[in-house]
């Protein structure tokens, strides 16, 4: 029997409903990692470092789609909970259309300024051309990437998480096959990696558009709609935490790269790239869970079902804590084989990456709790608190940690920075939950 947003969620139902979103995000992360894997092993560590250097900027632009998707999804889910399907479809359609237009505008800006931006990010002479080529090719497909981010959220709100998973798998398989063909087969280097990524993003962004454009059996479909500025502002404000998390995380990555170039050169940037690829996969589990639970929380909040909010919060805390501990143990135990997949050809770089893994791994213990708490407030349509948690967690605390800890601990301070930031963010998350329990009745 299909699970509906209005259901009471047991652990079993939570698992079944969120699993497609979790697998979807993990698969998205894995096929993103494949670019780095092929480039590192078939092109070299300098092009690999170049991709990692420019990636934060590309993620900032694509993150606008994630902002519209998560913020708009919470608004649409709340409207569905209020039993106004026509209005929900109108909001949904407007947000999808605006995402496509915004994607084109950001693509043009990014392509024009790719070279000076690469220089600003710290690209060395050896890295610069690879940064420019990879960035410009990927940005050609930016609208599709943003739509993919939008539909990942809305497919769950439409009670079609399995369709979202199927689309993501199709996109992922496309990327992996084309990486092997373009990089290992045709030897197109970073251009091949960028083309493989862009074409796969078209699969992930265009197929859901076609589904929603045609008559379908989900809760949502694309309809004729006009521009509603107040709804756009609400969606963007509500999803600002996700954009802030994306932007601040990317800015912090830039600072990490500057610090690593200073303390250990291009090897440090390459080692950090490996950590980020593995983190993408692990953190994707938490993000996938929040994509799955966000519409559920938004629906029950809109319907005034406060007992179900308490139920969802309690179960989610236990699941996030358990998953965080398991991830920490896995990342420590698999540090060497995971690092060897990417940089096993360089003994010095491998040793540095394995050591970094073992320090970095403790960050997973609290990361899930902080990510869920931010998403929980987004689903409650409180974008301010959600943004504050994300801003402090991914920018302020990490920035201070990565700048100050190396003064005491040297290179190890860079690897410890994210764990220290998660610990401070945990204190802030608990404080906000306690302060707002009377308003939202989730405790």
């Amino acid at each position: 029997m299909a699970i509906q947003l209005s259901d009471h969620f047991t652990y079993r139902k939570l698992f079944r409903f969120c699993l497609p979103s979790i697998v979807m995000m993990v698969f998205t992360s894995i096929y993103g990692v494949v670019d780095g894997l092929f480039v590192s092993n078939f092109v070299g560590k300098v092009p690999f470092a170049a991709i990692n250097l420019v990636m934060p900027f590309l993620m900032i632009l694509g993150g606008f789609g994630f902002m519209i998707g998560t913020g708009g999804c919470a608004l649409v889910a709340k409207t569905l909970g209020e039993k106004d399907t026509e209005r929900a479809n109108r909001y949904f359609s407007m947000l999808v259309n605006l995402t496509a237009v915004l994607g084109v505008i950001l693509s043009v800006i990014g392509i024009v300024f790719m070279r000076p931006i690469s220089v600003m990010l710290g690209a060395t002479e050896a890295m610069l051309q690879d940064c420019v080529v990879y960035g410009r090719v990927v940005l050609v497909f930016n609208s599709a990437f943003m739509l993919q981010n939008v539909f990942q959220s809305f497919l769950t709100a439409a009670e079609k998480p399995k369709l979202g998973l199927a689309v993501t798998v199709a996109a992922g398989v496309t990327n992996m096959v084309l990486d092997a063909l373009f990089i290992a087969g045709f030897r197109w280097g970073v251009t091949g990696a960028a083309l493989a990524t862009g074409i796969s993003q078209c699969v992930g962004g265009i197929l859901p558009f076609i589904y929603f454009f045609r008559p379908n059996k989900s809760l949502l479909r694309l309809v004729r709609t006009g521009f509603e500025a107040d709804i756009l502002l609400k969606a963007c404000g509500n999803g600002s935490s996700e954009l802030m998390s994306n932007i601040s995380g990317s800015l912090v990555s830039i600072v990490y790269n500057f610090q690593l170039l200073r303390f250990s050169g291009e090897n440090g940037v390459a080692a950090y790239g490996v950590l980020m690829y593995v983190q993408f996969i692990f953190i994707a589990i938490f993000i996938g869970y929040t994509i799955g639970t966000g519409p559920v929380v938004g629906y029950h909040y809109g319907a005034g079902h406060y007992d179900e909010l308490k139920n969802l919060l309690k179960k989610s805390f236990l699941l996030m804590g358990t998953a965080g501990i398991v991830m920490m143990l896995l990342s420590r135990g698999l540090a060497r084989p995971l690092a060897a997949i990417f940089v096993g050809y360089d003994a010095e770089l491998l040793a540095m990456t394995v050591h970094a893994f073992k320090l970095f791994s403790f960050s997973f213990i609290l990361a899930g709790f902080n990510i869920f708490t931010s998403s929980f407030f987004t689903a409650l349509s409180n974008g301010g608190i959600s943004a504050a948690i994300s801003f402090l967690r991914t920018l302020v605390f990490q920035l201070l940690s990565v700048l100050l800890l190396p003064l005491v601990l040297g290179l190890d301070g860079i690897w410890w920075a994210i764990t220290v930031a998660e610990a401070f963010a945990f204190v802030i998350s608990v404080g906000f939950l306690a302060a707002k329990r009377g308003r939202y009745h989730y405790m």
Side-chain angles (χ1 to χ4, degrees):
M1 183 176 178
I3 299 174
Q4 298 179 324
L5 297 179
S6 56
D7 287 352
H8 167 69
F9 280 78
T10 61
Y11 283 109
R12 179 180 174 83
K13 278 192 176 181
L14 267 178
F15 178 78
R16 286 178 56 203
F17 190 75
C18 294
L19 183 61
S21 297
I22 293 172
V23 176
M24 176 177 67
M25 290 305 301
V26 169
F27 204 85
T28 299
S29 301
I30 289 174
Y31 82 71
V33 168
V34 170
D35 275 359
L37 182 63
F38 273 95
V39 170
S40 181
N41 284 281
F42 288 93
V43 189
K45 68 180 181 181
V46 173
F48 178 57
I51 288 178
N52 293 323
L53 195 71
V54 76
M55 187 62 71
F57 172 69
L58 302 177
M59 295 306 295
I60 288 175
L61 298 188
F64 283 91
F66 199 52
M67 172 190 71
I68 295 172
T70 53
C73 181
L75 184 62
V76 169
K78 181 175 179 291
T79 306
L80 290 172
E82 295 166 350
K83 308 300 182 184
D84 194 340
T85 303
E86 181 181 348
R87 186 158 52 95
N89 280 325
R90 194 172 72 242
Y91 294 168
F92 164 63
S93 302
M94 181 194 68
L95 294 171
V96 168
N97 294 338
L98 288 174
T99 299
V101 174
L102 180 61
V104 173
I105 295 171
L106 293 176
S107 293
V108 173
I109 294 172
I111 290 170
V112 170
F113 293 102
M114 197 68 245
R115 183 172 292 275
I117 287 170
S118 298
V119 173
M120 184 183 67
L121 293 175
T124 64
E125 185 176 347
M127 299 163 63
L128 181 59
Q129 187 59 27
D130 287 330
C131 288
V132 174
V133 170
Y134 185 84
R136 284 178 172 169
V137 175
V138 167
L139 284 174
V140 170
F141 304 94
N142 189 54
S143 280
F145 179 43
M146 289 176 60
L147 285 172
Q148 182 178 11
N149 289 336
V150 164
F151 287 128
Q152 283 175 345
S153 296
F154 278 120
L155 281 166
T156 303
E159 295 182 345
K160 293 293 181 179
K162 292 182 180 179
L163 178 59
L165 173 59
V167 169
T168 301
V169 170
V173 170
T174 300
N175 188 68
M176 293 175 188
V177 171
L178 293 181
D179 267 331
L181 181 64
F182 294 165
I183 302 174
F186 295 165
R187 300 288 177 173
W188 287 352
V190 295
T191 301
L195 282 172
T197 295
I199 294 170
S200 70
Q201 289 168 351
C202 288
V203 174
I206 295 175
L207 288 183
F209 184 90
I210 295 172
Y211 172 79
F212 284 117
F213 185 77
R214 296 171 57 86
N216 63 77
K217 297 180 180 179
S218 77
L219 296 182
L220 298 172
R221 68 159 298 180
L222 292 170
V223 297
R224 289 184 177 274
T225 183
F227 177 70
E228 299 182 57
D230 58 329
I231 299 304
L232 176 62
L233 290 175
K234 285 181 181 179
C236 292
N238 200 31
S240 60
S241 60
E242 280 65 28
L243 178 63
M244 179 58 65
S245 178
N246 191 287
I247 291 177
S248 56
S250 297
L251 292 175
V252 168
S253 292
I254 293 169
V255 176
Y256 267 89
N257 286 329
F258 274 122
Q259 288 284 73
L260 287 164
L261 284 169
R262 174 187 170 195
F263 279 89
S264 56
E266 292 170 352
N267 272 3
V269 177
Y272 179 64
V274 177
L275 296 185
M276 289 299 97
Y277 281 131
V278 174
Q279 187 198 38
F280 289 162
I281 297 173
F282 282 10
I283 293 297
I285 296 175
F286 296 136
I287 295 175
Y289 182 81
T290 63
I291 289 175
T293 55
V296 180
V297 172
Y299 183 95
H300 286 288
Y301 173 58
H305 300 159
Y306 300 121
D307 286 342
E308 190 60 24
L309 289 182
K310 296 177 183 178
N311 170 61
L312 290 165
L313 186 64
K314 178 181 178 181
K315 286 180 168 59
S316 296
F317 282 174
L318 180 59
L319 291 172
M320 293 296 96
T322 303
I325 294 172
V326 171
M327 288 180 195
M328 181 271 292
L329 295 174
L330 281 174
S331 61
R332 290 182 66 81
L334 298 175
R336 180 166 291 276
L338 287 173
I341 293 173
F342 289 90
V343 294
Y345 54 82
D346 188 313
E348 180 184 357
L349 179 54
L350 176 63
M352 177 188 291
T353 306
V354 171
H355 176 70
F357 251 119
K358 292 184 176 180
L359 301 184
F360 184 84
S361 63
F362 292 104
S363 65
F364 294 120
I365 296 175
L366 297 176
F369 179 89
N370 295 326
I371 291 170
F372 176 79
T373 303
S374 177
S375 172
F376 186 70
F377 280 108
T378 296
L380 295 174
S381 297
N382 193 326
I385 290 181
S386 182
I389 295 172
S390 292
F391 177 76
L392 292 170
R393 171 181 171 261
T394 58
L395 183 62
V396 176
F397 295 146
Q398 279 203 57
L399 195 61
L400 290 174
S401 297
V402 78
L403 290 174
L404 298 178
L405 288 179
L407 299 177
V408 180
L409 302 175
L411 181 60
D412 280 355
I414 299 177
W415 308 132
W416 275 113
I418 190 169
T419 300
V420 173
E422 293 288 3
F424 280 110
F426 177 77
V427 175
I428 296 297
S429 296
V430 170
F432 276 126
L433 284 168
K436 295 298 179 180
R437 64 186 185 277
R439 176 178 175 183
Y440 295 110
H441 313 289
Y442 47 66
M443 287 183 176

